[in-house]
Amino acid sequence: MITIPDAAFLIVDVVLACFYVLMFALGWQKGILRAVINLAGTLASVWIAWLLAPILSDFVHLLPRSAAAMQNTAIANAAYQFSNELIWFLIVFAALKIIFALLENIAKGIQ
């Protein structure tokens, strides 16, 4: 069994507290409207990419089957499908984050 010394938890707590103070200061400087748009954009991007990735990977295979991992195994087809879904997820997520970054810039002009 692994035991973690109690002093390690103090270090983790201090690091987390510093991180939260830094994020609060950056959020305060950035403004509430832009922070909310950034958070909503990230959540919406993840959700939409999660929904679209399986659909897009069924129609367009970006990764050739010869480049897929775990060839000649029982889970080769699942690994190939997952690899294509992951690539589509990253593409859709990145595209949506760019769109939401543009919206954030528009909000910056409004604020």
Side-chain angles (χ1 to χ4, degrees), residues 12-28:
V12 170
D13 289 343
V14 169
V15 169
L16 283 174
C18 291
F19 174 76
Y20 286 130
V21 168
L22 176 67
M23 291 296 109
F24 177 79
L26 291 174
W28 185 272

PDB file of all heavy atoms in Angstrom, residues 12-28:
ATOM      1  N   VAL A  12       0.521  20.573  -1.607  1.00  0.00           N
ATOM      2  CA  VAL A  12      -0.526  20.575  -2.634  1.00  0.00           C
ATOM      3  C   VAL A  12      -1.549  21.670  -2.343  1.00  0.00           C
ATOM      4  O   VAL A  12      -1.975  22.397  -3.249  1.00  0.00           O
ATOM      5  CB  VAL A  12      -1.198  19.190  -2.727  1.00  0.00           C
ATOM      6  CG1 VAL A  12      -2.432  19.239  -3.610  1.00  0.00           C
ATOM      7  CG2 VAL A  12      -0.216  18.162  -3.240  1.00  0.00           C
ATOM      8  N   ASP A  13      -1.930  21.827  -1.083  1.00  0.00           N
ATOM      9  CA  ASP A  13      -2.892  22.865  -0.707  1.00  0.00           C
ATOM     10  C   ASP A  13      -2.356  24.265  -1.009  1.00  0.00           C
ATOM     11  O   ASP A  13      -3.084  25.124  -1.515  1.00  0.00           O
ATOM     12  CB  ASP A  13      -3.259  22.760   0.775  1.00  0.00           C
ATOM     13  CG  ASP A  13      -4.119  21.553   1.079  1.00  0.00           C
ATOM     14  OD1 ASP A  13      -4.692  20.979   0.122  1.00  0.00           O
ATOM     15  OD2 ASP A  13      -4.214  21.183   2.262  1.00  0.00           O
ATOM     16  N   VAL A  14      -1.098  24.500  -0.720  1.00  0.00           N
ATOM     17  CA  VAL A  14      -0.496  25.813  -0.975  1.00  0.00           C
ATOM     18  C   VAL A  14      -0.427  26.077  -2.475  1.00  0.00           C
ATOM     19  O   VAL A  14      -0.750  27.177  -2.942  1.00  0.00           O
ATOM     20  CB  VAL A  14       0.902  25.910  -0.321  1.00  0.00           C
ATOM     21  CG1 VAL A  14       1.648  27.144  -0.791  1.00  0.00           C
ATOM     22  CG2 VAL A  14       0.780  25.897   1.195  1.00  0.00           C
ATOM     23  N   VAL A  15      -0.036  25.089  -3.242  1.00  0.00           N
ATOM     24  CA  VAL A  15       0.034  25.256  -4.704  1.00  0.00           C
ATOM     25  C   VAL A  15      -1.355  25.533  -5.272  1.00  0.00           C
ATOM     26  O   VAL A  15      -1.525  26.431  -6.102  1.00  0.00           O
ATOM     27  CB  VAL A  15       0.674  24.010  -5.363  1.00  0.00           C
ATOM     28  CG1 VAL A  15       0.516  24.036  -6.863  1.00  0.00           C
ATOM     29  CG2 VAL A  15       2.138  23.912  -4.979  1.00  0.00           C
ATOM     30  N   LEU A  16      -2.360  24.799  -4.818  1.00  0.00           N
ATOM     31  CA  LEU A  16      -3.728  25.035  -5.291  1.00  0.00           C
ATOM     32  C   LEU A  16      -4.233  26.415  -4.888  1.00  0.00           C
ATOM     33  O   LEU A  16      -4.889  27.103  -5.679  1.00  0.00           O
ATOM     34  CB  LEU A  16      -4.671  23.952  -4.771  1.00  0.00           C
ATOM     35  CG  LEU A  16      -4.591  22.611  -5.478  1.00  0.00           C
ATOM     36  CD1 LEU A  16      -5.477  21.592  -4.765  1.00  0.00           C
ATOM     37  CD2 LEU A  16      -4.989  22.735  -6.931  1.00  0.00           C
ATOM     38  N   ALA A  17      -3.932  26.834  -3.671  1.00  0.00           N
ATOM     39  CA  ALA A  17      -4.359  28.162  -3.218  1.00  0.00           C
ATOM     40  C   ALA A  17      -3.714  29.254  -4.077  1.00  0.00           C
ATOM     41  O   ALA A  17      -4.388  30.208  -4.482  1.00  0.00           O
ATOM     42  CB  ALA A  17      -4.009  28.354  -1.751  1.00  0.00           C
ATOM     43  N   CYS A  18      -2.430  29.105  -4.378  1.00  0.00           N
ATOM     44  CA  CYS A  18      -1.748  30.079  -5.245  1.00  0.00           C
ATOM     45  C   CYS A  18      -2.360  30.088  -6.644  1.00  0.00           C
ATOM     46  O   CYS A  18      -2.541  31.143  -7.244  1.00  0.00           O
ATOM     47  CB  CYS A  18      -0.255  29.779  -5.322  1.00  0.00           C
ATOM     48  SG  CYS A  18       0.621  30.070  -3.787  1.00  0.00           S
ATOM     49  N   PHE A  19      -2.677  28.912  -7.145  1.00  0.00           N
ATOM     50  CA  PHE A  19      -3.297  28.809  -8.468  1.00  0.00           C
ATOM     51  C   PHE A  19      -4.642  29.526  -8.487  1.00  0.00           C
ATOM     52  O   PHE A  19      -4.943  30.284  -9.409  1.00  0.00           O
ATOM     53  CB  PHE A  19      -3.461  27.334  -8.844  1.00  0.00           C
ATOM     54  CG  PHE A  19      -4.213  27.115 -10.124  1.00  0.00           C
ATOM     55  CD1 PHE A  19      -3.609  27.344 -11.344  1.00  0.00           C
ATOM     56  CD2 PHE A  19      -5.532  26.689 -10.104  1.00  0.00           C
ATOM     57  CE1 PHE A  19      -4.296  27.148 -12.525  1.00  0.00           C
ATOM     58  CE2 PHE A  19      -6.224  26.491 -11.275  1.00  0.00           C
ATOM     59  CZ  PHE A  19      -5.608  26.717 -12.491  1.00  0.00           C
ATOM     60  N   TYR A  20      -5.464  29.304  -7.462  1.00  0.00           N
ATOM     61  CA  TYR A  20      -6.781  29.940  -7.408  1.00  0.00           C
ATOM     62  C   TYR A  20      -6.677  31.453  -7.258  1.00  0.00           C
ATOM     63  O   TYR A  20      -7.449  32.200  -7.860  1.00  0.00           O
ATOM     64  CB  TYR A  20      -7.632  29.353  -6.281  1.00  0.00           C
ATOM     65  CG  TYR A  20      -8.148  27.974  -6.589  1.00  0.00           C
ATOM     66  CD1 TYR A  20      -8.001  26.944  -5.690  1.00  0.00           C
ATOM     67  CD2 TYR A  20      -8.773  27.696  -7.802  1.00  0.00           C
ATOM     68  CE1 TYR A  20      -8.469  25.675  -5.972  1.00  0.00           C
ATOM     69  CE2 TYR A  20      -9.242  26.430  -8.090  1.00  0.00           C
ATOM     70  CZ  TYR A  20      -9.088  25.429  -7.170  1.00  0.00           C
ATOM     71  OH  TYR A  20      -9.554  24.177  -7.463  1.00  0.00           O
ATOM     72  N   VAL A  21      -5.725  31.925  -6.479  1.00  0.00           N
ATOM     73  CA  VAL A  21      -5.525  33.373  -6.339  1.00  0.00           C
ATOM     74  C   VAL A  21      -5.093  33.969  -7.673  1.00  0.00           C
ATOM     75  O   VAL A  21      -5.584  35.024  -8.087  1.00  0.00           O
ATOM     76  CB  VAL A  21      -4.501  33.675  -5.223  1.00  0.00           C
ATOM     77  CG1 VAL A  21      -4.057  35.123  -5.262  1.00  0.00           C
ATOM     78  CG2 VAL A  21      -5.075  33.323  -3.866  1.00  0.00           C
ATOM     79  N   LEU A  22      -4.204  33.299  -8.366  1.00  0.00           N
ATOM     80  CA  LEU A  22      -3.760  33.771  -9.673  1.00  0.00           C
ATOM     81  C   LEU A  22      -4.920  33.799 -10.668  1.00  0.00           C
ATOM     82  O   LEU A  22      -5.104  34.777 -11.403  1.00  0.00           O
ATOM     83  CB  LEU A  22      -2.630  32.890 -10.202  1.00  0.00           C
ATOM     84  CG  LEU A  22      -2.126  33.203 -11.607  1.00  0.00           C
ATOM     85  CD1 LEU A  22      -1.448  34.563 -11.627  1.00  0.00           C
ATOM     86  CD2 LEU A  22      -1.181  32.124 -12.082  1.00  0.00           C
ATOM     87  N   MET A  23      -5.710  32.730 -10.703  1.00  0.00           N
ATOM     88  CA  MET A  23      -6.856  32.684 -11.614  1.00  0.00           C
ATOM     89  C   MET A  23      -7.887  33.762 -11.272  1.00  0.00           C
ATOM     90  O   MET A  23      -8.483  34.365 -12.159  1.00  0.00           O
ATOM     91  CB  MET A  23      -7.511  31.305 -11.594  1.00  0.00           C
ATOM     92  CG  MET A  23      -6.674  30.208 -12.209  1.00  0.00           C
ATOM     93  SD  MET A  23      -6.389  30.465 -13.978  1.00  0.00           S
ATOM     94  CE  MET A  23      -4.676  30.894 -13.986  1.00  0.00           C
ATOM     95  N   PHE A  24      -8.095  34.035  -9.988  1.00  0.00           N
ATOM     96  CA  PHE A  24      -9.015  35.084  -9.576  1.00  0.00           C
ATOM     97  C   PHE A  24      -8.519  36.441 -10.048  1.00  0.00           C
ATOM     98  O   PHE A  24      -9.292  37.253 -10.580  1.00  0.00           O
ATOM     99  CB  PHE A  24      -9.189  35.085  -8.048  1.00  0.00           C
ATOM    100  CG  PHE A  24     -10.076  36.182  -7.549  1.00  0.00           C
ATOM    101  CD1 PHE A  24     -11.451  36.054  -7.641  1.00  0.00           C
ATOM    102  CD2 PHE A  24      -9.537  37.328  -7.008  1.00  0.00           C
ATOM    103  CE1 PHE A  24     -12.278  37.065  -7.197  1.00  0.00           C
ATOM    104  CE2 PHE A  24     -10.352  38.343  -6.558  1.00  0.00           C
ATOM    105  CZ  PHE A  24     -11.728  38.216  -6.649  1.00  0.00           C
ATOM    106  N   ALA A  25      -7.218  36.686  -9.878  1.00  0.00           N
ATOM    107  CA  ALA A  25      -6.648  37.969 -10.301  1.00  0.00           C
ATOM    108  C   ALA A  25      -6.745  38.132 -11.815  1.00  0.00           C
ATOM    109  O   ALA A  25      -7.090  39.217 -12.308  1.00  0.00           O
ATOM    110  CB  ALA A  25      -5.195  38.076  -9.841  1.00  0.00           C
ATOM    111  N   LEU A  26      -6.450  37.078 -12.555  1.00  0.00           N
ATOM    112  CA  LEU A  26      -6.560  37.157 -14.018  1.00  0.00           C
ATOM    113  C   LEU A  26      -8.010  37.350 -14.449  1.00  0.00           C
ATOM    114  O   LEU A  26      -8.299  38.106 -15.379  1.00  0.00           O
ATOM    115  CB  LEU A  26      -5.969  35.901 -14.661  1.00  0.00           C
ATOM    116  CG  LEU A  26      -4.462  35.741 -14.551  1.00  0.00           C
ATOM    117  CD1 LEU A  26      -4.025  34.389 -15.100  1.00  0.00           C
ATOM    118  CD2 LEU A  26      -3.733  36.873 -15.248  1.00  0.00           C
ATOM    119  N   GLY A  27      -8.926  36.670 -13.785  1.00  0.00           N
ATOM    120  CA  GLY A  27     -10.348  36.839 -14.091  1.00  0.00           C
ATOM    121  C   GLY A  27     -10.831  38.235 -13.770  1.00  0.00           C
ATOM    122  O   GLY A  27     -11.632  38.819 -14.501  1.00  0.00           O
ATOM    123  N   TRP A  28     -10.373  38.790 -12.681  1.00  0.00           N
ATOM    124  CA  TRP A  28     -10.753  40.148 -12.284  1.00  0.00           C
ATOM    125  C   TRP A  28     -10.266  41.146 -13.336  1.00  0.00           C
ATOM    126  O   TRP A  28     -10.991  42.060 -13.726  1.00  0.00           O
ATOM    127  CB  TRP A  28     -10.145  40.470 -10.926  1.00  0.00           C
ATOM    128  CG  TRP A  28     -10.577  41.786 -10.384  1.00  0.00           C
ATOM    129  CD1 TRP A  28      -9.988  42.998 -10.602  1.00  0.00           C
ATOM    130  CD2 TRP A  28     -11.705  42.035  -9.555  1.00  0.00           C
ATOM    131  NE1 TRP A  28     -10.674  43.968  -9.951  1.00  0.00           N
ATOM    132  CE2 TRP A  28     -11.740  43.407  -9.296  1.00  0.00           C
ATOM    133  CE3 TRP A  28     -12.678  41.217  -9.006  1.00  0.00           C
ATOM    134  CZ2 TRP A  28     -12.710  43.991  -8.510  1.00  0.00           C
ATOM    135  CZ3 TRP A  28     -13.640  41.793  -8.212  1.00  0.00           C
ATOM    136  CH2 TRP A  28     -13.654  43.164  -7.978  1.00  0.00           C
TER     137      TRP A  28
END
